[in-house]
Amino acid sequence: MPITPATAASSSSNGVKPSIMLELVDEDGNTIGTAEKLAAHQAPGRLHRAFSVFLFDEAGRLLLQRRALGKYHSPGVWSNTCCGHPYPGEAPFAAASRRVFEELGVSPSLLAEAGTVRYNHPDPASGLVEQEYNHLFVGMVQAALRPDPAEVEETAFVTAPELFERHAAAPFSAWFMTVLDAARPAIKELTGENGGW
């Protein structure tokens, strides 16, 4: 079997899990190198490529996930449908589609690019830093979810008012509002003016 970024990240001949590598970028999103995932997130953080996905059901409700308690970064907090990092050389669209399936056990029925956003968000709880050039995607999900419990603690479909109530009452990822605000024009286009987004 050929070794691809996906197989390399999950297999090893000696049983030791190999390091996951991220793509480092400049301020314009041009690739300038690679770094190991945890090292890229240690303060002050190294600017790297990431993606964030916002999927909606046919009623215009946003699919949120609460991150699994076993995750080393931002465990147990609510966040957007899916987020992650492309492997070096992997297209962000392909990475977003791959991770939605890996985390939630479903493929989007629609997935479209929604721009990019660059941010620097320290996570006070872990001391890690999200220094990211983030590719945004919006879309629809119509199939039944089959979340991976190692990745996702729970899921919820919420309307815009329900989201803002939940955001005021429960912890969310440090990057959530930044990526939501950046994706909002594409979300409004997808859900319509009456969707409340």
Side-chain angles (χ1 to χ4, degrees):
M1 179 173 81
I3 300 297
T4 66
T7 58
S10 61
S11 65
S12 174
S13 59
N14 63 7
V16 177
K17 193 170 184 178
S19 298
I20 295 174
M21 301 302 288
L22 305 186
E23 196 169 85
L24 300 178
V25 298
D26 65 17
E27 293 292 337
D28 297 317
N30 300 307
T31 302
I32 58 171
T34 60
E36 190 275 327
K37 182 178 179 182
L38 183 57
H41 287 88
Q42 290 173 336
R46 299 185 70 188
L47 184 59
H48 58 274
R49 195 176 309 284
F51 63 82
S52 291
V53 179
F54 295 85
L55 296 181
F56 294 81
D57 66 8
E58 292 174 335
R61 299 179 304 166
L62 172 61
L63 173 59
L64 297 177
Q65 71 154 276
R66 189 159 74 92
R67 294 165 61 86
L69 297 174
K71 293 182 83 72
Y72 77 87
H73 189 352
S74 302
V77 301
W78 288 95
S79 199
N80 47 292
T81 307
C82 180
C83 53
H85 309 92
Y87 294 119
E90 182 182 27
F93 185 92
S97 299
R98 171 179 56 79
R99 283 305 288 165
V100 168
F101 186 80
E102 289 172 355
E103 291 188 9
L104 296 162
V106 66
S107 294
S109 57
L110 171 74
L111 191 64
E113 294 182 8
T116 59
V117 62
R118 192 262 197 253
Y119 52 79
N120 178 359
H121 286 300
D123 176 27
S126 67
L128 299 176
V129 177
E130 288 290 2
Q131 184 90 249
E132 295 186 330
Y133 187 93
N134 197 306
H135 297 257
L136 307 171
F137 298 92
V138 300
M140 304 220 24
V141 62
Q142 294 171 299
L145 303 176
R146 293 177 288 115
D148 177 353
E151 298 286 348
V152 180
E153 189 70 21
E154 65 181 302
T155 61
F157 282 97
V158 296
T159 63
E162 289 168 345
L163 168 64
F164 297 116
E165 286 176 17
R166 187 179 292 253
H167 190 266
F172 271 69
S173 62
W175 61 87
F176 177 75
M177 287 307 294
T178 299
V179 293
L180 175 65
D181 287 343
R184 203 178 298 270
I187 290 170
K188 287 181 178 178
E189 188 175 329
L190 178 71
T191 59
E193 288 300 320
N194 297 327
W197 296 101

